[in-house]
Amino acid sequence: MNCYECRRVSGTTNPAEAVCSQCGAGLCSAHVRIEKREVHQPHGLGKSSADLPGRRIVCPVCERAEHSE
């Protein structure tokens, strides 16, 4: 699989190293956006979030769409 953003923006072909969790586009290391997210796991009345954050991978387009106001 090749990076969709490289092909779309500059017409080049670079191997993808990750996949956007929202749209499924292949991403190279230059276009991948890694976000931290809180992981919730219901445990009755106790703490429901993990101590360490999880990882979420998105493309630049999905990142902009999610963070625009």
Side-chain angles (χ1 to χ4, degrees):
M1 180 187 311
N2 293 320
C3 178
Y4 179 74
E5 290 297 313
C6 284
R7 185 72 173 168
R8 184 181 70 84
V9 174
S10 62
T12 60
T13 302
N14 291 314
E17 297 180 5
V19 175
C20 178
S21 62
Q22 294 300 302
C23 69
L27 303 166
C28 69
S29 60
H31 289 110
V32 69
R33 304 293 186 263
I34 299 174
E35 300 180 346
K36 292 180 181 179
R37 68 175 184 92
E38 190 172 32
V39 178
H40 294 278
Q41 301 169 338
H43 291 290
L45 299 175
K47 183 178 176 185
S48 65
S49 61
D51 292 332
L52 298 173
R55 176 175 51 205
R56 185 166 166 267
I57 296 174
V58 293
C59 69
V61 174
C62 291
E63 180 186 46
R64 282 192 306 274
E66 291 173 356
H67 297 293
S68 66
E69 294 183 27

PDB file of all heavy atoms in Angstrom, residues 5 20-21 23 25 27 31-33 57-64:
ATOM      1  N   GLU A   5      -1.783  10.510   0.777  1.00  0.00           N
ATOM      2  CA  GLU A   5      -1.504  11.947   0.810  1.00  0.00           C
ATOM      3  C   GLU A   5      -0.359  12.319  -0.135  1.00  0.00           C
ATOM      4  O   GLU A   5      -0.427  13.347  -0.801  1.00  0.00           O
ATOM      5  CB  GLU A   5      -1.197  12.413   2.227  1.00  0.00           C
ATOM      6  CG  GLU A   5      -2.397  12.405   3.145  1.00  0.00           C
ATOM      7  CD  GLU A   5      -3.484  13.368   2.698  1.00  0.00           C
ATOM      8  OE1 GLU A   5      -3.185  14.530   2.381  1.00  0.00           O
ATOM      9  OE2 GLU A   5      -4.650  12.935   2.665  1.00  0.00           O
ATOM     10  N   CYS A  20      -5.061   5.456   8.522  1.00  0.00           N
ATOM     11  CA  CYS A  20      -5.913   6.380   9.266  1.00  0.00           C
ATOM     12  C   CYS A  20      -7.066   5.605   9.896  1.00  0.00           C
ATOM     13  O   CYS A  20      -7.762   4.847   9.207  1.00  0.00           O
ATOM     14  CB  CYS A  20      -6.446   7.472   8.350  1.00  0.00           C
ATOM     15  SG  CYS A  20      -7.572   8.636   9.169  1.00  0.00           S
ATOM     16  N   SER A  21      -7.281   5.813  11.196  1.00  0.00           N
ATOM     17  CA  SER A  21      -8.341   5.094  11.897  1.00  0.00           C
ATOM     18  C   SER A  21      -9.729   5.602  11.527  1.00  0.00           C
ATOM     19  O   SER A  21     -10.723   4.937  11.807  1.00  0.00           O
ATOM     20  CB  SER A  21      -8.142   5.200  13.412  1.00  0.00           C
ATOM     21  OG  SER A  21      -8.221   6.545  13.833  1.00  0.00           O
ATOM     22  N   CYS A  23     -10.621   7.276   8.105  1.00  0.00           N
ATOM     23  CA  CYS A  23     -10.983   7.110   6.693  1.00  0.00           C
ATOM     24  C   CYS A  23     -10.318   5.915   6.019  1.00  0.00           C
ATOM     25  O   CYS A  23     -10.691   5.528   4.926  1.00  0.00           O
ATOM     26  CB  CYS A  23     -10.681   8.383   5.918  1.00  0.00           C
ATOM     27  SG  CYS A  23      -8.924   8.729   5.725  1.00  0.00           S
ATOM     28  N   ALA A  25      -7.172   5.697   4.906  1.00  0.00           N
ATOM     29  CA  ALA A  25      -6.118   6.034   3.948  1.00  0.00           C
ATOM     30  C   ALA A  25      -4.762   5.560   4.460  1.00  0.00           C
ATOM     31  O   ALA A  25      -4.463   5.668   5.646  1.00  0.00           O
ATOM     32  CB  ALA A  25      -6.081   7.547   3.715  1.00  0.00           C
ATOM     33  N   LEU A  27      -0.802   5.909   5.055  1.00  0.00           N
ATOM     34  CA  LEU A  27      -0.011   7.096   5.376  1.00  0.00           C
ATOM     35  C   LEU A  27       1.459   6.763   5.548  1.00  0.00           C
ATOM     36  O   LEU A  27       1.803   5.766   6.177  1.00  0.00           O
ATOM     37  CB  LEU A  27      -0.509   7.719   6.685  1.00  0.00           C
ATOM     38  CG  LEU A  27      -1.971   8.116   6.720  1.00  0.00           C
ATOM     39  CD1 LEU A  27      -2.411   8.387   8.141  1.00  0.00           C
ATOM     40  CD2 LEU A  27      -2.204   9.311   5.833  1.00  0.00           C
ATOM     41  N   HIS A  31       3.195  11.956   6.797  1.00  0.00           N
ATOM     42  CA  HIS A  31       1.795  12.368   6.850  1.00  0.00           C
ATOM     43  C   HIS A  31       1.004  11.789   8.016  1.00  0.00           C
ATOM     44  O   HIS A  31      -0.122  12.200   8.260  1.00  0.00           O
ATOM     45  CB  HIS A  31       1.091  12.015   5.533  1.00  0.00           C
ATOM     46  CG  HIS A  31       1.546  12.869   4.405  1.00  0.00           C
ATOM     47  ND1 HIS A  31       2.316  12.381   3.380  1.00  0.00           N
ATOM     48  CD2 HIS A  31       1.386  14.194   4.168  1.00  0.00           C
ATOM     49  CE1 HIS A  31       2.584  13.373   2.536  1.00  0.00           C
ATOM     50  NE2 HIS A  31       2.037  14.478   2.995  1.00  0.00           N
ATOM     51  N   VAL A  32       1.570  10.857   8.738  1.00  0.00           N
ATOM     52  CA  VAL A  32       0.844  10.250   9.857  1.00  0.00           C
ATOM     53  C   VAL A  32       0.751  11.235  11.018  1.00  0.00           C
ATOM     54  O   VAL A  32       1.678  11.989  11.283  1.00  0.00           O
ATOM     55  CB  VAL A  32       1.497   8.920  10.301  1.00  0.00           C
ATOM     56  CG1 VAL A  32       2.835   9.153  10.959  1.00  0.00           C
ATOM     57  CG2 VAL A  32       0.592   8.127  11.196  1.00  0.00           C
ATOM     58  N   ARG A  33      -0.391  11.281  11.668  1.00  0.00           N
ATOM     59  CA  ARG A  33      -0.618  12.098  12.863  1.00  0.00           C
ATOM     60  C   ARG A  33      -0.988  11.148  13.991  1.00  0.00           C
ATOM     61  O   ARG A  33      -1.956  10.394  13.866  1.00  0.00           O
ATOM     62  CB  ARG A  33      -1.741  13.103  12.659  1.00  0.00           C
ATOM     63  CG  ARG A  33      -1.532  14.035  11.470  1.00  0.00           C
ATOM     64  CD  ARG A  33      -0.356  14.973  11.718  1.00  0.00           C
ATOM     65  NE  ARG A  33      -0.233  15.956  10.673  1.00  0.00           N
ATOM     66  CZ  ARG A  33       0.590  15.868   9.636  1.00  0.00           C
ATOM     67  NH1 ARG A  33       1.356  14.809   9.484  1.00  0.00           N
ATOM     68  NH2 ARG A  33       0.651  16.828   8.741  1.00  0.00           N
ATOM     69  N   ILE A  57      -4.215   6.867  15.345  1.00  0.00           N
ATOM     70  CA  ILE A  57      -3.535   7.341  14.137  1.00  0.00           C
ATOM     71  C   ILE A  57      -4.564   7.906  13.174  1.00  0.00           C
ATOM     72  O   ILE A  57      -5.562   7.255  12.863  1.00  0.00           O
ATOM     73  CB  ILE A  57      -2.752   6.184  13.489  1.00  0.00           C
ATOM     74  CG1 ILE A  57      -1.646   5.735  14.444  1.00  0.00           C
ATOM     75  CG2 ILE A  57      -2.197   6.588  12.134  1.00  0.00           C
ATOM     76  CD1 ILE A  57      -0.889   4.515  14.002  1.00  0.00           C
ATOM     77  N   VAL A  58      -4.310   9.141  12.705  1.00  0.00           N
ATOM     78  CA  VAL A  58      -5.197   9.792  11.741  1.00  0.00           C
ATOM     79  C   VAL A  58      -4.378  10.480  10.654  1.00  0.00           C
ATOM     80  O   VAL A  58      -3.200  10.758  10.829  1.00  0.00           O
ATOM     81  CB  VAL A  58      -6.140  10.825  12.409  1.00  0.00           C
ATOM     82  CG1 VAL A  58      -7.133  10.152  13.328  1.00  0.00           C
ATOM     83  CG2 VAL A  58      -5.370  11.882  13.154  1.00  0.00           C
ATOM     84  N   CYS A  59      -5.032  10.775   9.547  1.00  0.00           N
ATOM     85  CA  CYS A  59      -4.391  11.504   8.443  1.00  0.00           C
ATOM     86  C   CYS A  59      -4.561  13.008   8.681  1.00  0.00           C
ATOM     87  O   CYS A  59      -5.361  13.422   9.526  1.00  0.00           O
ATOM     88  CB  CYS A  59      -5.009  11.087   7.114  1.00  0.00           C
ATOM     89  SG  CYS A  59      -6.719  11.620   6.878  1.00  0.00           S
ATOM     90  N   PRO A  60      -3.846  13.845   7.967  1.00  0.00           N
ATOM     91  CA  PRO A  60      -3.970  15.301   8.153  1.00  0.00           C
ATOM     92  C   PRO A  60      -5.383  15.826   7.889  1.00  0.00           C
ATOM     93  O   PRO A  60      -5.832  16.746   8.564  1.00  0.00           O
ATOM     94  CB  PRO A  60      -2.975  15.889   7.145  1.00  0.00           C
ATOM     95  CG  PRO A  60      -2.009  14.798   6.850  1.00  0.00           C
ATOM     96  CD  PRO A  60      -2.776  13.517   7.011  1.00  0.00           C
ATOM     97  N   VAL A  61      -6.080  15.245   6.937  1.00  0.00           N
ATOM     98  CA  VAL A  61      -7.427  15.710   6.601  1.00  0.00           C
ATOM     99  C   VAL A  61      -8.390  15.425   7.745  1.00  0.00           C
ATOM    100  O   VAL A  61      -9.150  16.303   8.177  1.00  0.00           O
ATOM    101  CB  VAL A  61      -7.921  15.054   5.291  1.00  0.00           C
ATOM    102  CG1 VAL A  61      -9.363  15.400   5.015  1.00  0.00           C
ATOM    103  CG2 VAL A  61      -7.025  15.476   4.125  1.00  0.00           C
ATOM    104  N   CYS A  62      -8.371  14.211   8.284  1.00  0.00           N
ATOM    105  CA  CYS A  62      -9.253  13.856   9.396  1.00  0.00           C
ATOM    106  C   CYS A  62      -8.884  14.633  10.651  1.00  0.00           C
ATOM    107  O   CYS A  62      -9.756  15.055  11.410  1.00  0.00           O
ATOM    108  CB  CYS A  62      -9.220  12.352   9.654  1.00  0.00           C
ATOM    109  SG  CYS A  62     -10.008  11.396   8.328  1.00  0.00           S
ATOM    110  N   GLU A  63      -7.591  14.874  10.860  1.00  0.00           N
ATOM    111  CA  GLU A  63      -7.151  15.662  12.005  1.00  0.00           C
ATOM    112  C   GLU A  63      -7.736  17.067  11.942  1.00  0.00           C
ATOM    113  O   GLU A  63      -8.284  17.579  12.926  1.00  0.00           O
ATOM    114  CB  GLU A  63      -5.634  15.726  12.052  1.00  0.00           C
ATOM    115  CG  GLU A  63      -5.108  16.545  13.221  1.00  0.00           C
ATOM    116  CD  GLU A  63      -3.612  16.727  13.177  1.00  0.00           C
ATOM    117  OE1 GLU A  63      -3.078  17.060  12.091  1.00  0.00           O
ATOM    118  OE2 GLU A  63      -2.981  16.541  14.214  1.00  0.00           O
ATOM    119  N   ARG A  64      -7.658  17.716  10.769  1.00  0.00           N
ATOM    120  CA  ARG A  64      -8.210  19.056  10.608  1.00  0.00           C
ATOM    121  C   ARG A  64      -9.718  19.058  10.791  1.00  0.00           C
ATOM    122  O   ARG A  64     -10.280  19.957  11.403  1.00  0.00           O
ATOM    123  CB  ARG A  64      -7.846  19.638   9.242  1.00  0.00           C
ATOM    124  CG  ARG A  64      -6.428  20.145   9.166  1.00  0.00           C
ATOM    125  CD  ARG A  64      -6.181  20.966   7.908  1.00  0.00           C
ATOM    126  NE  ARG A  64      -6.528  20.294   6.664  1.00  0.00           N
ATOM    127  CZ  ARG A  64      -5.729  19.483   5.981  1.00  0.00           C
ATOM    128  NH1 ARG A  64      -4.512  19.240   6.423  1.00  0.00           N
ATOM    129  NH2 ARG A  64      -6.118  18.940   4.864  1.00  0.00           N
TER     130      ARG A  64
END
